[in-house]
Each structure stands twice: as C-alpha cells, then as structure tokens.
Amino acid sequence: VEILRALCENTGTAADVLAALERRHLPVLHRLLAINLATAADTLLSLWSAAVDEPAVRAQVLLHPHCPGRLLEAMPETVLERRCAARHPRAPVALLRQLAADADPTVRRAAAAHAAMPAQALLTLCFDADAGVRRAVAGRADLSARMAGWLQEDTDSWVRRTVARNAACPPALLAIAAADAHAEVRRAAARHPACPAAVLERLGADPEDWVQAGVAYRDGLAPPLLRRLARSASVDVLAGVARNAATLPAQLSRLAAHESPDVRRAVIL
C-alpha cells in the first residue's frame, strides 16, 4: 500500500497509471488521487462516483484543474464541497450566483473572492451580514470605486483596513481611511501604493508609532518627511527609516549605532 500511495502522491506518475490505481477501488488512495494534478478528468469522474460518503475526496475533485465541467454545474451537497466549487476558476456564473446566496458564510466568502462573480451578486455581498464575506469583497483586485466607498464606511475595522490596503481603492478615499479611529486602518492607508503626498504627511505625524512606521517604509517619500521620521524615538519608525532606500548615509551611520538591535538589523537588510 505504501508503494501505491507513493505513486499517487507523485505528480510525475502518468495519468493512465493513476487511472489504473483508481480502478483498484482502495479508499485510502482516493484523496491522494484527487489531489494529484496529473489525474485526468475521466479518473476524477470515477473518483466522484466512488466517493459518495467521502466529502473530503469530492471537495478535492471540485478543486482539481481537470474537474469535469458537469460536476461544476450541479450544486454540491456539503458545505466543504460548495466552498471548493466556489474556488474553482471554471465555476459557471449560474453556480456562483447560487453560492453567493448560500446559507453558510464560509461558502459566501469563497464565492465573494471569485473573479467571475457577477456584479449584481457582488453588490449584495457588499452588505452581507458576515464581516468575513465583506472582507473578501473588499480585497478584490477589481473592486469598483462605488463598492470601495461603501465598504470604507463598514462597521468592521478589518473591512475598512482591507479596502484601504487594496490597490484598487481610489486615492481620494484614503483621506477618509487616514482619519479612521483604528490605527490598523490608518496604517493600511499609509501602505497604499497611490497614497497622496498630503495624506502621507498627515499619517507621518500620526499619534501611533505603528502608523508612522508604515509611512517610513515607503519609497519616494518627500525628503523633509523622511528627515522628520528619522528624528523619531520609536524603534518601529526608525527601523522603517533604516530600510528606506532614500535615507542618507549620515542618517544610516547614526542608526547603525542605535541601541536597538532591530534598528541596527534594519540598516543592513
């Protein structure tokens, strides 16, 4: 059995060999076959039929790149299977709409992150009762400006943080994030690749050192702002300054002699 398991785990095993192993009908091999990227579509279909009482195996089949299209067209029975179906790149739009309305929030979270999710379903998911679902929408690379605006006003700080860190978030919204009551949201705004200079200037004077540190790590800072951050007493901020490629040699020499090993280490990283 160990030899058979090794063959099933080896992605270099030929598809016809994996098919022959599946025909042995050994449950111990089912999940390994379903995971192996070399397993062919017809073998996966046989596995699906054999794994009636094995939802973990069926879930792996639904995740597989070679998963037969007909299996992705029907609504899976278990939460685990539906969650995996929601993650498959070839999941049909009709199925995604159903999964977006699933009773289980973990299924809706997976569906909310799918690149092919229809805009109307995403609109509904923006206001989902589960914060994890809204976070999944907030982290999408194709997040629209309208949705970003709604989610930036979300009651969950992690949703707002995710929006502020998302490169798709319009820079105009970062001024709102920079005034957020939660430091993690303000730091996320500081790390946004298109954060406006005026917002960075404000965040560079934030009462929380962790937020200032987020600014210090950025490339392209205005020299006066970088010099001001270099005068900080915070180890987090100084470590960011030490890592910044624009920090002057004289400042690096001073930081290299700092009492904190974290700051000294940042100079050489």
Side-chain angles (χ1 to χ4, degrees):
V1 174
E2 290 305 313
I3 294 175
L4 298 180
R5 287 176 60 92
L7 284 169
C8 291
E9 291 172 344
N10 189 344
T11 54
T13 302
D16 58 341
V17 174
L18 295 173
L21 290 168
E22 190 279 326
R23 288 194 292 271
R24 287 174 173 262
H25 303 297
L26 297 175
V28 70
L29 303 181
H30 284 174
R31 192 162 185 271
L32 299 176
L33 288 166
I35 292 173
N36 195 314
L37 295 178
T39 303
D42 54 351
T43 304
L44 291 171
L45 196 57
S46 296
L47 273 174
W48 180 270
S49 299
V52 176
D53 298 319
E54 299 176 87
V57 173
R58 285 193 159 192
Q60 288 296 332
V61 170
L62 290 169
L63 276 176
H64 202 284
H66 302 152
C67 178
R70 67 192 238 190
L71 296 183
L72 294 170
E73 292 172 359
M75 177 62 73
E77 293 182 6
T78 69
V79 168
L80 177 60
E81 293 168 41
R82 296 198 299 277
R83 192 162 65 235
C84 290
R87 291 168 55 194
H88 200 288
R90 289 189 287 109
V93 170
L95 177 64
L96 290 174
R97 285 198 183 96
Q98 289 179 280
L99 295 171
D102 197 272
D104 190 276
T106 65
V107 175
R108 300 198 304 276
R109 285 175 214 166
H114 199 286
M117 180 60 68
Q120 189 59 45
L122 275 179
L123 185 64
T124 302
L125 292 170
C126 260
F127 302 98
D128 195 276
D130 183 81
V133 175
R134 303 195 303 275
R135 289 174 207 164
V137 177
R140 290 180 61 95
D142 61 350
L143 184 69
S144 70
R146 182 174 63 162
M147 290 185 186
W150 291 331
L151 292 169
Q152 193 61 68
E153 298 176 356
D154 198 276
T155 56
D156 183 85
S157 64
W158 282 86
V159 172
R160 302 195 303 276
R161 173 190 176 181
T162 304
V163 173
R165 192 68 178 89
N166 191 335
C169 177
L173 290 179
L174 297 176
I176 299 173
D180 198 279
H182 289 259
E184 287 292 348
V185 179
R186 302 197 301 275
R187 179 179 166 89
R191 302 299 293 153
H192 190 283
C195 189
V199 176
L200 287 173
E201 188 71 28
R202 184 199 313 174
L203 293 170
D206 195 274
E208 291 287 341
D209 293 341
W210 185 236
V211 177
Q212 292 184 38
V215 177
Y217 278 96
R218 291 185 62 97
D219 293 329
L221 284 182
L225 176 54
L226 186 56
R227 287 197 295 271
R228 191 177 79 208
L229 291 169
R231 294 193 292 271
S232 174
S234 166
V235 168
D236 290 330
V237 177
L238 292 179
V241 172
R243 289 284 302 274
N244 197 303
T247 299
L248 297 175
Q251 293 172 326
L252 288 176
S253 296
R254 179 174 60 83
L255 294 170
H258 196 277
E259 62 182 9
S260 169
D262 290 333
V263 176
R264 298 197 302 271
R265 187 181 305 113
V267 172
I268 62 175
L269 290 177

